[in-house]
Amino acid sequence: MESCPSLKNILLLDSEGKRVAVKYYSDDWPTNSAKEAFEKCVFSKTQKTNARSEAEITMLENNIIIYKFVQDLHFFVTGSEDENELILAAVFQGFFDAVGLLLRGNVDKKEALENLDLILLCLDEIVDGGIILETDANVIAGKVASNSMDAGASLSEQTLTQALATAREHLTRSLLK
């Protein structure tokens, strides 16, 4: 019987291989030190590649890893060796594009750390317990923006995405009455 496509982890590391945002969905790395060792191994293996224009794929310790670098951030998505690479690539692209949308195109470590809450919400919208929920960057960013906005903020203080999400909620409520 076929199982649902799933991930082992999503990693966002800085240019020195240090954690910015990581989420593990597998018991393959039971301790924090094992997770950090895996991150270091992944970082050192991919460091010499030029994954700046296109996402790259590699195998490491019986895992498929899709990765790309932007400025001082390194994005990684890991799945098991028998996982479909196209599905992993779709998850990767959804995560990568959603982060770009949420950071308004200014994808760097400083901006990522200032908006870490949005990135972590983004991870939660994409994957739950390793099971892939969503891969469309616009849907992911929209859900994150609507979940993170201050309900009491005036429309002039909201971003365009947040304002559209608020308008959609008000319209939905008025139609359901």
Side-chain angles (χ1 to χ4, degrees), residues 17-143:
K18 305 260 189 280
R19 289 180 174 181
V20 175
V22 299
K23 246 340 178 62
Y24 282 83
Y25 308 104
S26 161
D27 295 337
D28 290 10
W29 306 277
T31 64
N32 196 46
S33 59
K35 291 174 184 174
E36 288 174 348
F38 176 75
E39 292 162 20
K40 184 176 180 181
C41 184
V42 167
F43 183 79
S44 63
K45 175 164 174 111
T46 60
Q47 184 65 16
K48 292 179 178 68
T49 63
N50 187 17
R52 297 218 174 261
S53 58
E54 296 283 325
E56 299 284 332
I57 187 168
T58 190
M59 288 285 291
L60 177 67
E61 299 174 0
N62 297 324
N63 296 302
I64 298 172
I65 302 170
I66 299 182
Y67 60 98
K68 185 174 180 177
F69 311 145
V70 174
Q71 299 204 41
D72 55 355
L73 290 177
H74 296 219
F75 293 78
F76 301 91
V77 169
T78 307
S80 67
E81 65 183 335
D82 56 347
E83 200 60 68
N84 186 321
E85 294 91 352
L86 294 175
I87 293 173
L88 294 176
V91 171
F92 175 85
Q93 199 62 50
F95 174 55
F96 182 81
D97 291 345
V99 168
L101 288 169
L102 292 168
L103 299 181
R104 294 177 211 78
N106 191 11
V107 182
D108 63 15
K109 182 181 176 182
K110 180 181 180 288
E111 195 72 23
L113 290 173
E114 288 174 359
N115 294 286
L116 190 57
D117 58 334
L118 298 178
I119 292 173
L120 293 173
L121 283 171
C122 182
L123 292 173
D124 291 340
E125 290 295 335
I126 296 170
V127 181
D128 184 24
I131 304 300
I132 300 163
L133 302 175
E134 184 63 64
T135 61
D136 185 320
N138 293 315
V139 172
I140 296 163
K143 286 181 180 180

